[in-house]
Amino acid sequence: MSGNSARTTAGVWQIRLGSLLIPLAHAAGQNLVTVLGLRFMTDSLAISAGAAGAIFAFVKIYDGFADPAVGAWSDRAKTPWGRRLPFLLAGGIAMPLGLALLFGAPSFGSIVLAQVFVTLALVIHATGYTLLTIPGFAMLVESSSDPRERTRLMAWRTYGNAIGTMLGSTLPAWLLAMTGPTRGGHLLLAAVVGGVVLLATVLALRLLRHAPRTVAPERADAAKVHPIRALGRQVMLAWDNVPFRTLAIAHVFLLFGTAIGSASLAFYTRVGLEQADTVLGTYFMLATVAMLVSMTGWVWLSNRIGKKRAYIAAMAIYCVVQLSWLLAGPGEPMALIGLRGALSGFSGAGMILCAYSLLSDAVRYDYVTSGQRREGAFAGFTTLFDKLSSAAALAVMGGFLAAMGYVPSASGMAAQQGEGARMAILLCVSVFPAVSMVAAIAAMAFYKLDAASVEAAERQGQA
């Protein structure tokens, strides 16, 4: 008995650590591109802000529509490793490759060729991100039927996301401060972060190889259904899940706000605050520390007042933090910048934990009420909405900066910017994210599912 208990405990901790490493990997690779990708394209490759935003939007849209397909594919996959692990391995290889191509882009002597090359690099990177995130989230939902254990796993996932965020934002900014914003400096940070992504993925595969797995039920008519028609059917089924639909709408607004807030911060610290990249790195370091330290508190609070209320509270805090940038300017004390970073990380912990914990409840509710195993498809739809909102955010930001006169550069440093461009950067880092959070909070007013309802459905299904 004691031996079985020890093995079971070991299995639980392996799943928790694996649940940490997968988001660590994809958060590191994704944050590097989110924070520095747009600025690298405008200030190192001389691509206009409008064109750079359009490229990001195109890639995000491609990746978004690939998400449900990957999710459904992983739901149906049959391999000796199970349904999910081969996808994770492929993603752990593709993301570093995309990073190396993007930040190691050669000098073509042609803006058009540079645009084509970085688009290809971003497509490879985005595909890797999808291959890591979709099966990773689906495995987490499959691993436990206990809502409280899934909340714990979401906390571990959020820990991993926080560490990955620091490795993909703080570490690269500090490296650039040491090397200077050169082509070689950008390639170095891509190599370092890419190595982190690959190593974390390989370790996660070892930890999760014996994790609980579910098997898709055999369907005699599966081969007769056209893939596009099958995907359309899955979309309709997911949209009929009212709790999931409500969360998805709120998530779109939340991701729009956080995407534009993160991408604009790299511009704002350099142009608006007139600070070196060390300040940007320190900001994200403090945000990550606050995220890690506050996670236990958010788990306690979500259990105490409910996940929905905790989620709304986290979004409200983030809204206030972003609006506070309206009061900042050149010469802003580092203490105030650091305080904003800490509060941003504190609110980010609550938003990530509650968002995905609520989503796991909605997906589990779908299973216990329908009997269908669609975890991968729901994970795909979740990231589809994420990508579309991020695409809209980067397209809006790039187009807005271009319209307000942002001047691109090939030197690695920002060109001298006029008042219009400086005002556009300020609005992108403050007002746009705040308005998005208010819209997300309004959407959450319509969310009705709670943990008790999921548990009741579980008991009814077992009866």
Side-chain angles (χ1 to χ4, degrees):
M1 179 68 71
S2 60
N4 290 336
S5 177
R7 284 193 295 271
T8 301
T9 301
V12 168
W13 281 102
Q14 285 180 340
I15 294 170
R16 290 175 179 176
L17 288 172
S19 298
L20 178 149
L21 286 169
I22 291 299
L24 185 155
H26 65 65
Q30 183 68 8
N31 274 276
L32 175 56
V33 172
T34 299
V35 174
L36 295 176
L38 192 64
R39 196 183 75 177
F40 174 73
M41 291 167 66
T42 59
D43 293 357
S44 295
L45 301 181
I47 298 173
S48 72
I55 290 171
F56 267 103
F58 166 76
V59 173
K60 292 281 187 183
I61 291 170
Y62 147 76
D63 192 29
F65 282 103
D67 289 341
V70 168
W73 185 14
S74 73
D75 282 342
R76 298 191 303 268
K78 296 180 180 179
T79 77
W81 286 10
R83 294 194 288 172
R84 318 294 183 186
L85 296 184
F87 293 88
L88 297 179
L89 177 60
I93 295 172
M95 273 197 101
L97 176 60
L99 290 175
L101 291 174
L102 173 63
F103 290 101
S107 298
F108 289 100
S110 166
I111 296 297
V112 173
L113 288 178
Q115 291 173 346
V116 172
F117 188 85
V118 298
T119 300
L120 174 62
L122 286 170
V123 166
I124 295 172
H125 172 269
T127 302
Y129 178 77
T130 292
L131 292 170
L132 278 172
T133 54
I134 306 303
F137 179 75
M139 283 191 73
L140 189 150
V141 175
E142 292 173 329
S143 64
S144 177
S145 61
D146 180 1
R148 292 178 178 81
E149 177 59 20
R150 288 199 304 274
T151 297
R152 294 187 193 98
L153 290 175
M154 289 301 167
W156 281 87
R157 177 186 175 91
T158 307
Y159 285 134
N161 190 82
I163 297 170
T165 296
M166 182 169 66
L167 294 173
S169 55
T170 295
L171 180 60
W174 284 349
L175 284 174
L176 281 185
M178 290 188 292
T179 65
T182 63
R183 294 291 186 86
H186 282 93
L187 181 57
L188 173 63
L189 62 89
V192 171
V193 175
V196 169
V197 173
L198 181 59
L199 178 60
T201 302
V202 172
L203 290 175
L205 290 175
R206 285 191 57 83
L207 290 168
L208 295 173
R209 66 188 187 278
H210 298 308
R213 304 173 183 174
T214 59
V215 179
E218 296 287 346
R219 290 184 53 184
D221 62 339
K224 301 177 183 178
V225 180
H226 192 278
I228 295 179
R229 185 177 299 173
L231 180 59
R233 180 186 300 170
Q234 293 280 49
V235 170
M236 294 305 299
L237 289 171
W239 196 247
D240 287 340
N241 183 326
V242 176
F244 177 82
R245 183 171 70 211
T246 304
L247 288 171
I249 293 171
H251 213 53
V252 165
F253 288 117
L254 183 148
L255 263 294
F256 183 95
T258 55
I260 202 168
S262 296
S264 60
L265 193 61
F267 290 87
Y268 184 68
T269 53
R270 176 182 284 185
V271 176
L273 299 182
E274 299 177 1
Q275 298 279 3
D277 282 333
T278 49
V279 171
L280 179 66
T282 301
Y283 176 94
F284 282 113
M285 182 271 292
L286 292 171
T288 302
V289 171
M291 185 179 291
L292 291 170
V293 170
S294 65
M295 186 55 58
T296 302
W298 280 110
V299 172
W300 175 85
L301 185 65
S302 66
N303 289 330
R304 178 88 175 181
I305 68 173
K307 299 175 187 179
K308 173 182 173 179
R309 290 180 180 176
Y311 190 30
I312 290 173
M315 289 189 285
I317 294 170
Y318 183 83
C319 175
V320 173
V321 170
Q322 296 306 118
L323 283 175
S324 73
W325 287 118
L326 292 171
L327 305 176
E332 185 77 0
M334 189 62 216
L336 292 180
I337 297 174
L339 178 61
R340 290 184 178 91
L343 289 174
S344 175
F346 174 74
S347 61
M351 289 190 293
I352 294 170
L353 171 71
C354 295
Y356 285 99
S357 186
L358 287 165
L359 283 167
S360 74
D361 287 346
V363 174
R364 186 69 186 182
Y365 185 74
D366 172 77
Y367 165 65
V368 298
T369 55
S370 70
Q372 297 295 311
R373 308 267 18 167
R374 298 192 289 249
E375 296 92 346
F378 275 102
F381 300 135
T382 300
T383 53
L384 166 62
F385 300 137
D386 289 356
K387 303 294 176 54
L388 292 179
S389 56
S390 296
L394 294 173
V396 167
M397 179 179 166
F400 189 50
L401 289 180
M404 296 294 281
Y406 188 86
V407 180
S409 169
S411 67
M413 299 297 294
Q416 186 66 34
Q417 304 297 334
E419 286 302 314
R422 297 172 76 90
M423 177 58 68
I425 293 171
L426 177 60
L427 292 175
C428 285
V429 82
S430 59
V431 175
F432 289 3
V435 171
S436 297
M437 290 302 121
V438 172
I441 291 171
M444 283 302 299
F446 297 94
Y447 182 80
K448 305 301 181 184
L449 184 66
D450 56 22
S453 300
V454 178
E455 290 176 335
E458 293 266 14
R459 289 192 297 270
Q460 184 177 355
Q462 295 170 359

